Amino acid sequence: MVTDDLLICGAGPAGRALAHRALAHGLTVTVVDPHPHRRWSATYAAWADELPGWVATEAIAARVERPVAWTSRRIELDRPYLVFDTAALQDSLDISGARLIQDSVTAIDAAARTRYDGLDLPSVRLASGRTLPAGRVIDARGIPRSPNLAEQTAYGVIVDRGHYPDPDALFMDWRDDNGADPAELPSFLYAIPLGEDRILLEETCLAGLPALDQRTLRERLTHRLRSRGIILTGAEPTERVRFPVHGGTRHATAFGAAGDFTHPATGYSVATSLRLADTVIAGESAWPASARAVHLLRQSGLRALLALPSTELPLFFDTFFQLPIAAQSAYLSGHDDLRGTAAAMTALFAALPWRVRRKLAAAVVVPPRLQRRSSSR
């Protein structure tokens, strides 16, 4: 039996990034995944200042210097935004030096350790019946869906750049031209370049419990684009998104979404996984006290978003995107920036009208278990 320094469960962006950096630091690595060679199809993006210096330049498909948010007005965000070339990102996270095992992990025995070569080691049990020990075992398999977890959903199409006349790259477009009833759960348009010639147009439900389904999002996207003079043929490549925005385990043996890296109020996790890979490889905690406190504040932000009436969301984001860029960055990207995150949330709360403040305050003080949002809202 071969044992390695590190065994990683999962070969998605988080697991592959961790394996890539472990190999770069000279560790021996095993990666277990049911489909370790599967090509990724999702679109990933990040703020430029979030990424570590080791990320390959060829993994970036597009750079937007000033993305735009539409609330009740057009707001330019003075913070460069990067869109990954998904295939190039996957290839750049080279793990050819790792031992790849095509199998499913059925149990991780981090506490009940396995005796190997005179040492007590953590191990994993596989669907094939094998048990694999390693110096360290880290779970990077993501989060399974659950009716008790708020989710982000999206439906998108990829069109030629010339078919979309708007010059703006839209981080969030909350304008009400998607045909949705004002009382229904809202969604926004996310429109970002995938290079020089293509653009992704995606109707997105930021967070819902339950979230909007794919059919509703497709109908809203079609209606929105038609109202702007863009008629889809039905032959466009599509992208469907659905994942929990919270629910991982903040523990040294979990990484990526499985380790609760997903931002509860945005759904982003890839940049955090890239940035923290070296930290975890070095044996340091990804969750110092300041990061745990930041995460609790962000979870309260998620509760606030779920509680706000649909008609108030544009005002909420209008106010947020008027904050100084440093405050926006602290809340969106400051994994352990407790001072900055708290200051951003305090400034946002103070700038909102009293009617919105009351709703936010009521949502923040509810018990930690998120309450199911009525589908009629």
Side-chain angles (χ1 to χ4, degrees), residues 24-321:
H25 286 279
L27 302 184
T28 55
V29 179
T30 294
V31 177
V32 180
D33 190 277
H35 306 284
H37 302 290
R38 175 184 288 169
R39 300 301 291 176
W40 302 340
S41 58
T43 301
Y44 304 112
W47 299 101
D49 54 24
E50 291 181 311
L51 298 184
W54 57 261
V55 173
T57 56
E58 60 267 23
I60 307 301
R63 179 186 175 100
V64 180
E65 292 299 330
R66 296 178 68 88
V68 169
W70 263 100
T71 53
S72 59
R73 54 184 164 169
R74 180 181 180 275
I75 305 171
E76 285 192 11
L77 308 178
D78 188 17
R79 191 182 181 199
Y81 188 70
L82 304 179
V83 183
F84 288 108
D85 178 323
T86 302
L89 173 65
Q90 184 173 9
D91 291 340
S92 71
L93 299 175
D94 179 25
I95 56 172
S96 57
R99 181 169 60 125
L100 300 183
I101 297 178
Q102 185 169 347
D103 209 333
S104 297
V105 174
T106 59
I108 298 176
D109 299 319
R113 304 168 78 85
T114 298
R115 190 74 174 173
Y116 174 77
D117 198 23
L119 299 174
D120 289 324
L121 299 176
S123 64
V124 300
R125 292 199 297 270
L126 307 182
S128 61
R130 299 170 64 188
T131 297
L132 298 179
R136 295 170 65 193
V137 173
I138 295 182
D139 186 3
R141 292 175 295 173
I143 311 170
R145 290 183 55 201
S146 166
N148 295 319
L149 297 179
E151 292 184 318
Q152 182 171 127
T153 53
Y155 177 87
V157 295
I158 299 171
V159 302
D160 292 340
R161 192 66 179 87
H163 195 54
Y164 181 74
D166 192 332
D168 288 335
L170 300 171
F171 180 67
M172 280 185 176
D173 184 350
W174 291 99
R175 284 176 285 184
D176 60 359
D177 57 352
N178 62 1
D181 188 296
E184 295 177 336
L185 189 63
S187 56
F188 64 89
L189 177 66
Y190 178 64
I192 55 163
L194 301 179
E196 294 183 359
D197 302 324
R198 300 183 306 151
I199 188 165
L200 172 66
L201 307 174
E202 198 160 74
E203 192 75 17
T204 304
C205 171
L206 183 60
L209 189 62
L212 295 173
D213 59 44
Q214 296 291 314
R215 179 183 60 81
T216 300
L217 291 166
R218 183 179 67 248
E219 291 173 352
R220 290 188 184 186
L221 178 64
T222 302
H223 189 286
R224 189 192 295 274
L225 295 180
R226 186 185 298 118
S227 72
R228 302 185 188 187
I230 302 170
I231 307 300
L232 300 177
T233 66
E236 295 86 0
T238 61
E239 177 173 273
R240 293 171 173 83
V241 175
R242 189 178 201 111
F243 61 87
V245 291
H246 65 110
T249 303
R250 295 187 297 280
H251 194 274
T253 60
F255 188 78
D260 217 6
F261 287 10
T262 305
H263 195 303
T266 67
Y268 283 42
S269 67
V270 171
T272 301
S273 298
L274 296 173
R275 192 168 68 249
L276 291 179
D278 283 346
T279 298
V280 172
I281 292 302
E284 301 172 15
S285 173
W287 290 104
S290 57
R292 295 196 298 272
V294 165
H295 195 71
L296 288 175
L297 290 176
R298 288 175 172 176
Q299 286 180 321
S300 71
L302 173 59
R303 293 199 297 275
L305 289 175
L306 292 172
L308 274 181
S310 305
T311 53
E312 303 287 12
L313 273 174
L315 173 61
F316 178 91
F317 283 103
D318 182 87
T319 306
F320 178 80
F321 288 123

